[in-house]
Amino acid sequence: EVHLVESGGALVQPGGSLRLSCAASGFTFSSYSMHWVRQAPGKGLESVSAISGDGGNTYYANSVKGRFTISRDNSKNTLYLQMGSLRGEDMAVYYCARETILGGSNDYWGQGTLVTVSS
Amino acid sequence: DVVMTQSPLSLPVTLGQPASISCRSSQSLVFSDGNIHLNWFHQRPGQSPRHLIYKVSNRDSGVPDRFSGSGSGTDFTLKISRVEAEDVGVYYCMQGTHWPWTFGQGTKVEIK
């Protein structure tokens, strides 16, 4: 059974940094592209970043480009999101999500981890 | 970015009756391989999104057959043939053709 478990969410001050992790199990992690999707309180869903199975290709939303870095460690079956220069608008639940094997959608999602940006 | 526009944003429904949600994209969603990556998700309060439909009309494993997706070009529809109590929540369309992948605003389905 596929499991995705996010961790690392916390209260951080504006301008601060945070690293999120997503531990994956139940599938061959290195064979799948992975995504981070966020949801601000009471709002809709926003794709933040994605990374190919081998980590060679990364993608970012314009809103986080230059501030966030996605990475993965296939030996540990873990996805990461390094977040820097955090702003109030970055406050959200961050979900990691697996991309479908043929691409184009996200079939499994974690339970999410909350990032709060406040002084 | 591709803009996904859903309607209605709120949908009160009667148990056992059909429901329909529309999703329109600001540009074609045809991928280079000919696939159309238009997907639907359902999110119950306090839960993660659940993958319902991919590539316009394909139900994910375990999704009841009362859910169906259709559409072409830039207009797509999610239909529930007979709404059940567990179907309440917010439904999102999402395009996975152009990066960044983008979602509709969400349609909140509630029981009358």
Side-chain angles (χ1 to χ4, degrees):
Chain A
E1 187 181 357
V2 173
H3 276 285
L4 299 169
V5 180
E6 302 93 335
S7 60
L11 169 63
V12 60
Q13 292 186 339
S17 299
L18 203 60
R19 188 176 85 156
L20 306 183
S21 300
C22 171
S25 61
F27 64 102
T28 304
F29 183 65
S30 59
S31 295
Y32 288 80
S33 294
M34 297 294 296
H35 292 237
W36 288 99
V37 181
R38 69 184 179 185
Q39 186 169 36
K43 302 297 184 182
L45 299 163
E46 179 189 13
S47 290
V48 173
S49 186
I51 186 168
S52 58
D54 63 2
N57 294 294
T58 57
Y59 307 86
Y60 298 95
N62 287 335
S63 57
V64 306
K65 200 173 293 183
R67 300 187 298 120
F68 291 11
T69 301
I70 191 171
S71 62
R72 62 192 298 160
D73 185 336
N74 287 343
S75 69
K76 295 182 178 179
N77 289 350
T78 303
L79 174 72
Y80 302 101
L81 185 67
Q82 180 67 48
M83 310 165 68
S85 302
L86 282 162
R87 307 166 180 166
E89 54 264 39
D90 296 318
M91 185 163 67
V93 173
Y94 283 73
Y95 296 101
C96 76
R98 189 181 81 168
E99 185 171 322
T100 50
I101 192 65
L102 296 180
S105 194
N106 298 120
D107 56 357
Y108 286 92
W109 297 60
Q111 85 289 346
T113 188
L114 177 63
V115 173
T116 302
V117 182
S118 176
S119 54
Chain B
D1 297 358
V2 177
V3 177
M4 305 298 289
T5 303
Q6 288 182 230
S7 63
L9 300 185
S10 177
L11 182 58
V13 296
T14 301
L15 288 174
Q17 293 301 301
S20 180
I21 301 170
S22 173
C23 176
R24 179 167 293 176
S25 60
S26 62
Q27 59 184 270
S28 170
L29 301 184
V30 179
F31 194 58
S32 54
D33 61 3
N35 284 311
I36 299 174
H37 294 297
L38 185 285
N39 314 293
W40 291 94
F41 298 85
H42 175 214
Q43 186 177 35
R44 297 189 180 101
Q47 295 188 13
S48 308
R50 178 194 180 190
H51 192 226
L52 290 180
I53 303 280
Y54 62 98
K55 290 195 289 184
V56 182
S57 60
N58 297 274
R59 279 188 302 275
D60 199 354
S61 174
V63 175
D65 60 7
R66 64 179 181 273
F67 290 92
S68 64
S70 63
S72 62
T74 58
D75 288 300
F76 305 93
T77 303
L78 175 70
K79 291 183 178 177
I80 309 173
S81 59
R82 292 174 301 280
V83 173
E84 298 189 5
E86 64 182 19
D87 299 337
V88 299
V90 181
Y91 290 81
Y92 295 94
C93 62
M94 185 267 270
Q95 67 82 18
T97 296
H98 306 282
W99 183 261
W101 293 3
T102 46
F103 293 84
Q105 317 97 301
T107 295
K108 186 174 184 178
V109 171
E110 57 185 9
I111 304 301
K112 284 182 184 175

